[in-house]
Each structure stands twice: as C-alpha cells, then as structure tokens.
Amino acid sequence: MVKIAVDGMGGDFAPKEIVEGVRLAINDFSDLSILLVGRSDELKKELQGFTKNIEIVHADEVITMNDKPREALLKKKGSSMHKAVELVRERIADGFVTAGNTGAYMAISLFTLGRLKDVNRPGIGVVIPFKDGDFGVIIDVGASVDIMPRDYLILAILGKTFLYTLTKNENLTVGLLNIGEEEEKGTKLVKEAYKVLKENLKEFKGNIEPHEILYHKADVIVTDGFTGNILEKSYEGALEFTVDMLKEEITKSIVYKIGALLLKPALKNAFNKLNYENFGGSPLLGVDGISVKAHGRSKRFAIKNAIKAAYELAKNNLIENFKQELEKIPQ
Amino acid sequence: MVKIAVDGMGGDFAPKEIVEGVRLAINDFSDLSILLVGRSDELKKELQGFTKNIEIVHADEVITMNDKPREALLKKKGSSMHKAVELVRERIADGFVTAGNTGAYMAISLFTLGRLKDVNRPGIGVVIPFKDGDFGVIIDVGASVDIMPRDYLILAILGKTFLYTLTKNENLTVGLLNIGEEEEKGTKLVKEAYKVLKENLKEFKGNIEPHEILYHKADVIVTDGFTGNILEKSYEGALEFTVDMLKEEITKSIVYKIGALLLKPALKNAFNKLNYENFGGSPLLGVDGISVKAHGRSKRFAIKNAIKAAYELAKNNLIENFKQELEKIPQ
C-alpha cells in the first residue's frame, strides 16, 4: 500500500471538499491508503461512515490562511498540517498533501522534512501543458527568491528528476528562463547561472523566453523563485483579463451570445489548458519527503488530483531518484 | 509645427509600410511635419509624389535585425537610425520613431541623446490598457536589467511624468511589481526598492502583483528591465498560446466553426485588448530627447500610432516635464 497523509483542515473548502477528494482517490487506486489528519469529529461527520482504506489522525489546531508562516511554524505545532508532515518525516506516510496556507506549507515542510544533501534552496515545481500535448515543469515558482548560480543547477536536477519520475522519459532537456536567446542576455546572476548549467548539465539547451515555454522548447524550465512567480502570475493574469474582456464583449450583441453558446466547450478547453490545477498540486522539491500543495481554492477533483500526484511520486520513488541524481553532481 | 524624424528603413515592412504610416499621420495632424530618413530613391518611390509636410533626409546605410547593437552603434554611423536620432540631438527634430532593431535602437538612442541629469538607468515604458478603460504604463520592460534601489525611484518618476504628459492626470499612483502584497515580499533588491519608494514618493501605493496590474491597482508599475521583460513576454505567450489552442479546438466541430464565425469580432476585441501595439510604440524614457520604438512587425497603422505618440509627447513637452520632476527628487 502507498500511504498518503492528507491535511483535512487546509483550504477554502475544508473539510468537506478535502474529504470528498479523498473518497474519489480511494476509489481510483486500490493500493492507496489515506491518513486523514484534522479534527476527528468534523472529519468523521463528513465521511458519513465511509472507512475503506482511511485512518483518521486527530489534530486539534488548524492553520488559517491569515496565519503568518513563522507563527504557524512555531506556535501551531498541534496543527493538522504539522501532524501530516510529521507522518512523512517519521516514514509512517509516503507523502503529504495540503490545500492550506502556502507560506506555512513551505516553512513547515522545509523545517520538518529538512533538505536533501546538496540542496541549499528547494523549489516549487509547477507542471505545465505544452502545445504538442506533452507536459513539462517550471521550477522554482516561489519558494526561494534570492539564490546563487549553483542553486540553478540543483533546481534543474530536481525538476528533471521529478519529471523523469512521472514520465520515465530519459531524454528530457533543460532551459534557463531568460529575456533573450543569446548567452550574454539577462542579469549578472542569470549569466552566471548559464555558465554553471552549461558546464555541468548535459541536458542544458540554453536560454528560453517566456513566450516560447508552452511550445515545448525545453522540458524543464529553471528559474529563481521571484522570476518564476512573476511568470506564473502573469500567465494567470493575462488569461483572467482576456476571459473578463470576452465576457464583457459577448453581452454587447445577441449574435455574440449565440456564438458564445455554440463555442462554449471549445472556449472552455482553450482557456482551461493553462490551468495549473489540472495536475493537482505543486510539490516542494528538494526536501526529504514528498510534499504536495494543492491550490487553496481546490474542490474535490483538484484534491483527488493532488493526492494522485503524491501517490505516483511515492510509488515511483521520487526521493530515491533525487538522491541518486544529486550524487552525480560534480562538486 | 511639430517635427518628427522617422527611420524609413527600420522594421520588417520597411520602407513601404513606414511611408504609408507617415502619410496617414500627416493626414491626421495639420501641425505635424516629418523628416523621413533613409535611402532617398527608395523613399521617393514609395511616396509616389506625395510631398505635403515631408522632407527626405538621405542616409546610405541600413541597420538590419541581425546587426549586434554594439556593431550597429559603432560601425554603421551612416545609417538611417543614427541620422534620425542625430536630428533629435541637434534639436532639428522634436522626436524620433523607428521600427528597427531594438538593441541598436537602445544603444544609439542612449549614446546619441545621452541621459537626463539624475538618470543612471533609462527604462522602456509600455502603455497598457486597464479593465476600466483607462491606461497606464509599465517601466522598465527591457532597457536596464541590473539596477540599484534608487533606480526604481527614477524609473517611477519617469513613468509617472510620461503618463502625466499624455493624460494631464495629477493623481497618478505608483506600484512596485512584486510577488506579494506585503512589504517583506520579494528579493533583497526589491525590498530595498520598496523602502526607497516609500520614503521618497508620495504617489507610491505599495506592491502590485502581475495578475492585478490590468485591474488598475496602480497607474504606473515600476520594475527592473529583466522582470518587466519577463512579464511582458509572459502576457504575450499566454495569449498567443490560448489563441492557438482555440483555433485548434474550433476545427473539431462544425458547430464550433459557426460559433466562432458569429463570435469573431468579440473574440478579436478581447484578444486584441492586450495588444501593446495599439499605443503604437514604446519610448525609451530617461534619455535627453523623445525616442519611440515601434514593433518590428508594425504595419502602417502601428507606424502612424507610433508617430502620433512621439508627436503628442513632443507637443506636451515630455522632456521639460522630466527635467522639472527630476529636479524635485531629494538627493
């Protein structure tokens, strides 16, 4: 059995949608068992007698979206998020999922699980769809904002190994997020990162610009957490704005309304393609344990997908793969 | 008369579309005259006898899209781009427009016009549309990639003054591009920039995230050239990808095709809203002269809009306004 600890109390729709997501995941995978962490009375009520492959682990406290990461880390040690991560540290669970407070998630995962050897700065990986139907990963999208040139190399190896664990593709390529194709482009830091990647990583294919990513110019896109977060939120913002504008345009004529009705499924598919929640969660890579963050707004299907991600990463030995790949880095 | 120098040879569709854009601009503004710079025989041929308010200034050389900025700057001094910028430096022209090589444009503008007092690092401003119908500016989107905290303050003042020159709005606000709302978010550099802005600029309203920009949270969004370029190309990339996906979806059913046909104008409006070319050019702000870059792919209407931008900035004394505002900065 693969055991995944799930924070039953984290996220905008907890505990109801978390529990429903757990039930969907249990039904999908016969070798999956869930350690559902949180207030046992509330969780039991939502489960309505459903017990198959689920064990409730009681935790009194709950981390809210308003808690500061530092305070959540230091003062809410009895929280469902803490307890769920501790189950991974103690190797009772094979992985952990939460839809709770992102800052608290990063702090607690990092502090409780610790970093893998050679990893100074872990990164959040986000799975992205390519135009050709394949998928890739951008790392880091927000965990580590001030990093050194060598950290880019480590992030690249984490991203590549994460993607390999999911796809078994041995020919993955790595690109460095930059503002131009040429080696001399970018900040001093990015130029130094380019050199480190070029010298140490055979998979490195050079710079990649934001508008080229989705056309599969590289499988793994490596960047610092500040730039990666700007990129992710810019994609989101441009789409949100265009959907808003389109909705406004459509109201202007009955012909548009009919057109929109006919075209609705196609529009939905096109705009949803870039929805990061399809993968079901962004893992914090570089810590010594599987730790997956679902979006705070996740409902049952997104939660199920996040559990599925943790399950697949555990089943395919993500952490062992990391250790093997990190061993190979020239010192 | 307002005199604008136009590089007749720069851009993917030069000289034909440049000349057509000049004609459109001349017809729109009776107090506009154009110094059209480039190979006089080619330009005369395109003009087909049209001479109203146009003077041709001959230049032998042409900077191509493949020229390296440094080489264009140092080895093609007889180029149409050089000559057009020199007309501004000599105060023969009130402003300059090109659709040519961006790197060469920045290098030649900076070197020929020089920086305004107090400006260490000029910035490219890009005009953006807001959801509410107003427009704002993001500065810098690519001129200066490694900057210091104080440079953010200068960029903010340049952006604010540029926007004031166009709108006469005296209540403009400034936001700092960042990955979170709180003061402690971002890289060390961005945190220091926050402090400098807070201490020295009454218009400063705090941090702004990429997905909030288009909802008019601030009028001027200030950032370094690396992050700004990532932002701009991410917006472009997300839209391009979504349009591509939509085109692909539409082919899947005849119902979709009919829907798309009915909805076409609304789709076009929604997706074009974020098209930066509507303003017609991105000026390099902080140099001692009006210098506007149109997109390399500009056709006649985009060229006309770029000329219109240079014309309006000249007519409303952009450079004088800059000098006045820069004087006010605490040292």
Side-chain angles (χ1 to χ4, degrees):
Chain A
M1 294 294 266
V2 177
K3 273 196 181 171
I4 302 298
V6 174
D7 173 6
M9 313 306 288
D12 297 351
F13 305 107
K16 181 163 186 59
E17 293 294 321
I18 312 294
V19 170
E20 293 299 332
V22 164
R23 289 173 67 154
L24 290 170
I26 291 282
N27 287 331
D28 273 10
F29 304 102
S30 58
D31 62 341
L32 168 68
S33 82
I34 298 287
L35 296 166
L36 185 57
V37 189
R39 291 183 180 139
S40 58
D41 50 343
E42 290 183 42
L43 296 173
K44 266 180 201 152
K45 195 182 141 208
E46 294 297 343
L47 279 166
Q48 301 177 342
F50 184 94
T51 56
K52 184 187 162 196
N53 291 345
I54 294 182
E55 191 183 320
I56 291 178
V57 178
H58 180 72
D60 257 335
E61 279 183 297
V62 172
I63 291 171
T64 70
M65 290 303 186
N66 298 323
D67 284 328
K68 295 262 173 197
R70 209 184 142 71
E71 283 160 27
L73 174 66
L74 299 176
K75 295 183 184 162
K76 286 198 168 177
K77 297 217 167 182
S79 74
S80 56
M81 200 188 283
H82 266 101
K83 287 217 171 169
V85 180
E86 271 160 21
L87 291 169
V88 178
R89 192 195 54 190
E90 291 159 9
R91 303 292 183 250
I92 296 167
D94 302 306
F96 149 71
V97 170
T98 184
N101 184 319
T102 305
Y105 158 79
M106 287 195 287
I108 294 171
S109 294
L110 190 58
F111 186 83
T112 309
L113 300 174
R115 299 180 189 89
L116 291 167
K117 192 173 159 285
D118 287 318
V119 177
N120 285 318
R121 310 299 308 272
I124 291 182
V126 63
V127 170
I128 43 158
F130 294 129
K131 178 88 185 353
D132 61 15
D134 274 358
F135 62 93
V137 63
I138 305 176
I139 181 170
D140 170 31
V141 297
S144 302
V145 295
D146 279 305
I147 67 175
M148 307 286 284
R150 194 177 164 81
D151 296 322
Y152 287 83
L153 174 64
I154 305 295
L155 288 173
I157 289 165
L158 294 173
K160 184 197 79 173
T161 308
F162 164 74
L163 204 54
Y164 169 78
T165 301
L166 293 174
T167 63
K168 301 292 173 222
N169 179 350
E170 291 184 354
N171 300 308
L172 297 168
T173 58
V174 173
L176 174 64
L177 184 64
N178 205 337
I179 59 172
E181 215 179 327
E182 306 88 345
E183 190 165 344
E184 71 272 15
K185 286 279 181 178
T187 59
K188 276 176 207 151
L189 175 65
V190 172
K191 279 184 247 185
E192 285 174 37
Y194 187 103
K195 278 186 205 149
V196 174
L197 289 165
K198 194 176 168 187
E199 280 164 21
N200 294 289
L201 197 70
K202 65 178 192 310
E203 297 89 344
F204 183 56
K205 297 297 169 198
N207 290 326
I208 178 165
E209 296 182 73
H211 55 290
E212 299 172 325
I213 292 175
L214 301 167
Y215 295 89
H216 201 166
K217 206 179 154 188
D219 298 295
V220 178
I221 294 89
V222 63
T223 185
D224 66 277
F226 183 82
T227 310
N229 201 268
I230 292 286
L231 174 83
E232 188 183 13
K233 286 175 177 162
S234 300
Y235 277 173
E236 282 173 19
L239 289 185
E240 196 183 322
F241 179 74
T242 305
V243 169
D244 271 8
M245 293 311 303
L246 189 55
K247 280 181 181 163
E248 206 176 289
E249 286 292 324
I250 287 167
T251 62
K252 289 182 184 166
S253 126
I254 182 78
V255 176
Y256 292 168
K257 281 180 196 160
I258 297 166
L261 207 63
L262 298 177
L263 200 57
K264 199 172 178 182
L267 285 168
K268 218 172 160 179
N269 279 345
F271 281 106
N272 265 343
K273 184 85 182 185
L274 259 187
N275 189 340
Y276 300 97
E277 292 163 53
N278 292 333
F279 177 70
S282 302
L284 181 64
L285 303 176
V287 293
D288 193 6
I290 290 166
S291 174
V292 174
K293 172 73 175 69
H295 201 290
R297 291 193 299 257
S298 294
K299 294 206 174 177
R300 61 193 69 184
F301 291 103
I303 296 295
K304 185 203 78 175
N305 283 336
I307 295 171
K308 183 180 166 217
Y311 161 86
E312 285 181 350
L313 292 171
K315 200 162 171 167
N316 293 294
N317 307 311
L318 177 71
I319 303 299
E320 275 315 304
N321 296 346
F322 277 160
K323 287 176 181 169
Q324 275 180 31
E325 288 301 312
L326 290 166
E327 276 294 319
K328 294 181 196 165
I329 309 173
Q331 288 305 315
Chain B
M1 294 293 264
V2 177
K3 272 195 183 173
I4 303 297
V6 175
D7 173 6
M9 313 306 287
D12 298 350
F13 305 106
K16 182 166 184 57
E17 293 293 323
I18 312 296
V19 169
E20 294 298 335
V22 164
R23 290 173 63 155
L24 290 170
I26 290 281
N27 287 332
D28 274 10
F29 304 102
S30 57
D31 62 340
L32 167 68
S33 83
I34 299 286
L35 297 166
L36 185 57
V37 189
R39 291 182 180 138
S40 59
D41 49 343
E42 290 183 43
L43 295 173
K44 267 182 198 150
K45 196 182 141 209
E46 293 297 344
L47 279 166
Q48 300 176 344
F50 184 95
T51 56
K52 183 186 161 197
N53 290 345
I54 294 183
E55 191 183 320
I56 290 177
V57 178
H58 180 73
D60 257 334
E61 278 183 297
V62 172
I63 292 171
T64 69
M65 290 303 188
N66 299 321
D67 284 329
K68 295 262 173 193
R70 209 183 143 71
E71 283 161 27
L73 173 66
L74 300 175
K75 294 182 184 161
K76 286 199 168 177
K77 298 218 167 183
S79 73
S80 55
M81 199 189 283
H82 266 101
K83 287 218 170 169
V85 180
E86 272 160 20
L87 291 169
V88 178
R89 192 195 54 191
E90 293 160 8
R91 303 293 182 249
I92 296 168
D94 303 305
F96 149 71
V97 170
T98 183
N101 185 321
T102 305
Y105 157 78
M106 287 194 288
I108 294 170
S109 295
L110 190 58
F111 186 83
T112 308
L113 300 174
R115 298 181 189 89
L116 290 168
K117 189 171 162 285
D118 288 317
V119 177
N120 284 318
R121 309 300 307 272
I124 291 182
V126 63
V127 170
I128 44 157
F130 295 129
K131 179 85 182 0
D132 61 16
D134 275 357
F135 62 92
V137 62
I138 305 176
I139 180 170
D140 170 31
V141 298
S144 300
V145 295
D146 280 305
I147 68 175
M148 307 287 284
R150 194 176 164 82
D151 296 322
Y152 287 82
L153 174 64
I154 306 295
L155 288 173
I157 289 164
L158 294 173
K160 184 197 77 172
T161 309
F162 163 73
L163 204 54
Y164 169 78
T165 302
L166 292 173
T167 62
K168 301 290 174 225
N169 180 349
E170 292 186 353
N171 300 308
L172 297 167
T173 58
V174 173
L176 174 64
L177 184 65
N178 205 338
I179 59 172
E181 215 178 326
E182 306 88 344
E183 189 164 345
E184 71 272 15
K185 286 278 180 179
T187 59
K188 277 177 209 153
L189 175 65
V190 172
K191 278 183 251 185
E192 285 173 38
Y194 187 103
K195 277 187 205 149
V196 173
L197 288 164
K198 194 177 167 186
E199 279 164 23
N200 294 289
L201 198 69
K202 65 179 192 309
E203 297 89 343
F204 183 57
K205 298 295 170 197
N207 290 325
I208 178 164
E209 295 182 74
H211 55 289
E212 299 172 325
I213 292 175
L214 302 166
Y215 294 89
H216 201 165
K217 205 178 155 188
D219 298 295
V220 178
I221 294 88
V222 63
T223 185
D224 65 279
F226 183 81
T227 309
N229 201 268
I230 292 285
L231 174 84
E232 188 182 14
K233 285 175 177 162
S234 300
Y235 277 172
E236 283 174 18
L239 289 185
E240 196 182 323
F241 179 74
T242 304
V243 169
D244 271 8
M245 293 310 304
L246 188 56
K247 281 181 181 164
E248 207 176 286
E249 287 292 325
I250 287 167
T251 62
K252 289 181 184 167
S253 125
I254 182 78
V255 176
Y256 292 168
K257 280 181 196 159
I258 296 166
L261 208 64
L262 299 176
L263 200 57
K264 199 172 179 182
L267 284 168
K268 220 172 159 179
N269 279 346
F271 280 106
N272 266 344
K273 184 85 182 182
L274 259 187
N275 190 339
Y276 301 96
E277 291 164 53
N278 292 332
F279 177 70
S282 302
L284 181 63
L285 303 177
V287 293
D288 192 6
I290 290 166
S291 173
V292 173
K293 172 74 175 69
H295 201 291
R297 291 193 298 258
S298 294
K299 295 207 173 176
R300 59 192 70 181
F301 291 104
I303 297 295
K304 186 203 79 174
N305 284 336
I307 295 170
K308 183 180 166 216
Y311 161 86
E312 285 182 350
L313 293 171
K315 199 162 169 166
N316 294 293
N317 307 311
L318 177 71
I319 303 299
E320 275 315 304
N321 296 345
F322 277 161
K323 286 176 183 170
Q324 275 180 30
E325 290 300 314
L326 290 166
E327 278 294 318
K328 295 182 198 164
I329 309 172
Q331 289 304 317

